[in-house]
Amino acid sequence: MVRISEDLIRRRAEHNNGEIFSLEELSLHQQDIQRIEHIHKWCRDLKILYLQNNLIPKIENVGRLKKLEYLNLALNNIEVIENLEGCESLQKLDLTVNFVGRLSSVETLKHNLHLKELYLVGNPCAEYHGYRQYVVATVPQLQSLDGKEISRAERIQALQELDAVRTRVLQQETEYLEEREKQKSNANEHPEINQSLSESQNGTQQYPESSSKTHTEAEDEEREFWEKPCPFTPESRLEAHRHLEEKRRANEKEKEKPKTKTPRTLITPDGRVLNVNEPKLDFSLSEDENNCLLLDLNVYRHMDSSLLDVDVQPMYVRVTVKGKVFQLVLPAEVKPDSSSAQRSQTTGHLLLILPLANEDVKPKKRSIRPTSVTSNQNNKKDTRAAPRRELLEVDPGLAGSLANIVPKGQESSHNPQRCGLEERPVSKDFVDDPEVPPLV
């Protein structure tokens, strides 16, 4: 049961800065309220009060609201119109779709001199023969009934036929009350319905926990409950509310259950390590000149390093980022004890330096440096090959100018386009000493 509390009213008084003593309009609809209380003490300046779509069985504790102009009690369990004599400023009363069967109780509204509009559509009394004539004649200050304006001619005619209409209405009312007693006696045969009604009136209604049933059984029971014919009574409305409340509580209990998340497979039963990227992070894997693997993981920039857990194994790396696993199989075996992790303060990236277990010595590239003539002469015995004849190729256009170098009559038999050193015969006693540099 939802009770009208000060906290509830303050939450509904946000438009008035949470002040309830000066509140003029209050909306408490669809709150499953089962009793009107405290409003007449805390909100005496109320002019508009919305209490529709609740479970209120009786009109009470509103007589002190002297400034109340509009009271909405539609879609409740009210059976009698009462306790409204103190609402001196009441102009509109809405009792749509209730269980008002005692139409004679409408005569209590004669004391509300400012009442202009009344809504009783959807009540059992609205089906009585002569219902409208009786209300129009009984409450003379009304100007509209069920949204239809009351004309002067209609009022005069209703007053003329009031005695006959009253007799007929009272007779139908007696029949309804007898039928209502039968409905209550039938409700007593069903303890659950009778208990829900009594508990709702006392404010001690409780809801049993839903038992575990299969999805098909639950659907069948749900369909059977709503398709089963039943009379439209306060008991049936409370039973429907009880059913909906049980279903709502079952759904909330289902949501509160901890969801068992299936663990992700990181290593197969046969020992094969899988690549996993639950946090969906970008990464790069490379190798440097120091025979180390470099794993650059793009961790979130502003995430604290305490939320990271790094586990380096010889053949794979596992990084846990806020409970999500990043696992990568390495292309070669590494040394876990010699590995290190670094975190960039600028980008937040995580850099893992993983030394390889089998270090291959890579030859360094020798850089070619210019050497002096003396150093070249000292290294001739190891690297210099035997001297040979070298010829210079000359551009054919320069052949004429080169030919004029040698005086006429002393020309060589060689081709003018080529020039070189004349070969001399080598003596048989000549010994080539490798330590002696050749002549340039």
Side-chain angles (χ1 to χ4, degrees):
M1 173 183 175
V2 178
R3 304 181 67 93
I4 299 178
S5 61
E6 182 178 352
D7 180 64
L8 176 61
I9 296 178
R10 288 191 184 279
R11 283 189 282 111
R12 292 290 180 169
E14 294 180 354
H15 59 282
N16 198 40
N17 297 326
E19 297 179 357
I20 62 176
F21 69 92
S22 61
L23 198 60
E24 295 185 355
E25 180 176 346
L26 179 61
S27 178
L28 296 175
H29 62 283
Q30 297 180 347
Q31 296 292 320
D32 296 337
I33 298 172
Q34 297 181 1
R35 185 181 180 187
I36 304 175
E37 55 184 351
H38 305 308
I39 298 178
H40 62 291
K41 299 178 182 178
W42 299 337
C43 310
R44 295 195 176 185
D45 293 337
L46 269 183
K47 294 183 178 180
I48 301 175
L49 178 58
Y50 296 99
L51 289 169
Q52 69 270 26
N53 203 357
N54 285 290
L55 301 172
I56 301 172
K58 183 179 180 181
I59 303 176
E60 57 184 343
N61 298 325
V62 293
R64 295 184 182 180
L65 300 177
K66 304 297 181 179
K67 299 181 181 180
L68 186 64
E69 298 177 359
Y70 176 33
L71 177 60
N72 192 332
L73 287 168
L75 294 169
N76 280 281
N77 296 338
I78 297 172
E79 299 187 58
V80 180
I81 302 174
E82 57 185 346
N83 301 324
L84 292 174
E85 296 83 355
C87 301
E88 300 174 355
S89 303
L90 188 62
Q91 300 179 10
K92 182 178 179 179
L93 177 63
D94 192 348
L95 293 171
T96 303
V97 192
N98 275 272
F99 298 94
V100 179
R102 188 171 296 177
L103 187 56
S104 58
S105 61
V106 79
E107 296 184 5
T108 59
L109 298 178
K110 292 188 297 184
H111 304 283
N112 303 100
L113 303 179
H114 300 281
L115 185 63
K116 299 178 180 179
E117 299 181 53
L118 176 63
Y119 291 86
L120 291 173
V121 64
N123 287 272
C125 64
E127 300 177 0
Y128 293 173
H129 183 67
Y131 144 76
R132 185 174 177 86
Q133 293 88 338
Y134 179 80
V135 176
V136 170
T138 306
V139 190
Q141 71 272 22
L142 275 183
Q143 298 180 5
S144 175
L145 177 61
D146 296 335
K148 185 177 180 181
E149 187 177 355
I150 301 174
S151 63
R152 184 177 179 182
E154 183 182 6
R155 190 182 305 277
I156 294 174
Q157 185 178 0
L159 290 172
Q160 293 175 352
E161 301 175 357
L162 178 58
D163 294 337
V165 171
R166 178 184 282 113
T167 303
R168 190 163 53 249
V169 166
L170 292 177
Q171 182 179 359
Q172 297 176 75
E173 180 180 310
T174 303
E175 295 175 358
Y176 170 79
L177 293 178
E178 293 177 357
E179 183 67 23
R180 182 76 185 99
E181 291 297 329
K182 293 180 181 179
Q183 293 175 355
K184 291 181 179 180
S185 62
N186 292 334
N188 293 332
E189 297 177 0
H190 301 278
E192 295 181 355
I193 300 178
N194 188 33
Q195 182 181 3
S196 64
L197 179 61
S198 60
E199 288 178 350
S200 65
Q201 293 176 351
N202 298 331
T204 60
Q205 190 170 0
Q206 299 178 355
Y207 301 95
E209 297 182 358
S210 59
S211 57
S212 57
K213 300 178 181 178
T214 62
H215 183 68
T216 306
E217 292 178 353
E219 285 185 351
D220 293 341
E221 289 186 1
E222 185 76 11
R223 188 182 305 107
E224 181 182 358
F225 177 82
W226 293 111
E227 293 181 356
K228 181 181 179 181
C230 63
F232 183 60
T233 60
E235 292 81 11
S236 62
R237 176 175 284 183
L238 286 174
E239 185 181 3
H241 175 265
R242 181 187 181 89
H243 179 79
L244 293 175
E245 188 69 15
E246 289 179 1
K247 189 175 180 181
R248 183 183 65 83
R249 289 175 179 268
N251 293 336
E252 290 180 355
K253 188 177 180 180
E254 190 70 22
K255 292 180 180 179
E256 290 176 357
K257 290 183 179 179
K259 296 182 179 180
T260 56
K261 188 177 181 180
T262 56
R264 181 179 289 274
T265 303
L266 302 177
I267 302 177
T268 59
D270 56 353
R272 185 166 57 91
V273 182
L274 302 179
N275 291 327
V276 180
N277 191 359
E278 287 184 346
K280 299 181 180 180
L281 299 175
D282 296 333
F283 67 94
S284 63
L285 183 64
S286 60
E287 185 176 355
D288 64 355
E289 297 179 354
N290 299 324
N291 295 317
C292 294
L293 293 179
L294 303 179
L295 176 59
D296 188 3
L297 191 60
N298 299 356
V299 181
Y300 313 119
R301 179 178 180 181
H302 300 288
M303 191 180 71
D304 192 81
S305 298
S306 61
L307 301 176
L308 297 174
D309 184 21
V310 181
D311 181 16
V312 179
Q313 298 295 330
M315 294 305 299
Y316 68 92
V317 175
R318 182 182 300 166
V319 181
T320 305
V321 183
K322 295 181 66 175
K324 296 183 179 180
V325 178
F326 171 86
Q327 182 170 279
L328 180 65
V329 180
L330 301 175
E333 186 178 355
V334 299
K335 299 178 180 179
D337 297 338
S338 303
S339 301
S340 62
Q342 300 176 2
R343 182 85 185 277
S344 174
Q345 295 182 354
T346 305
T347 62
H349 289 196
L350 178 66
L351 179 63
L352 301 181
I353 304 175
L354 313 171
L356 294 173
N358 300 325
E359 296 183 358
D360 297 332
V361 179
K362 298 182 179 180
K364 295 184 179 180
K365 296 182 179 180
R366 298 179 62 184
S367 58
I368 301 175
R369 298 179 180 177
T371 56
S372 61
V373 177
T374 307
S375 62
N376 287 337
Q377 292 176 354
N378 296 332
N379 296 333
K380 286 298 179 180
K381 71 175 183 178
D382 296 331
T383 61
R384 184 174 179 82
R388 63 177 182 176
R389 182 181 178 182
E390 297 181 359
L391 301 177
L392 296 178
E393 294 184 2
V394 183
D395 188 3
L398 301 177
S401 60
L402 293 175
N404 296 330
I405 297 176
V406 182
K408 293 183 179 181
Q410 298 181 5
E411 296 88 346
S412 175
S413 60
H414 293 86
N415 192 338
Q417 294 183 4
R418 298 177 180 270
C419 63
L421 299 177
E422 183 179 358
E423 295 183 1
R424 297 179 181 181
V426 182
S427 175
K428 295 181 180 180
D429 298 333
F430 175 75
V431 178
D432 188 7
D433 189 356
E435 297 182 359
V436 178
L439 297 177
V440 180

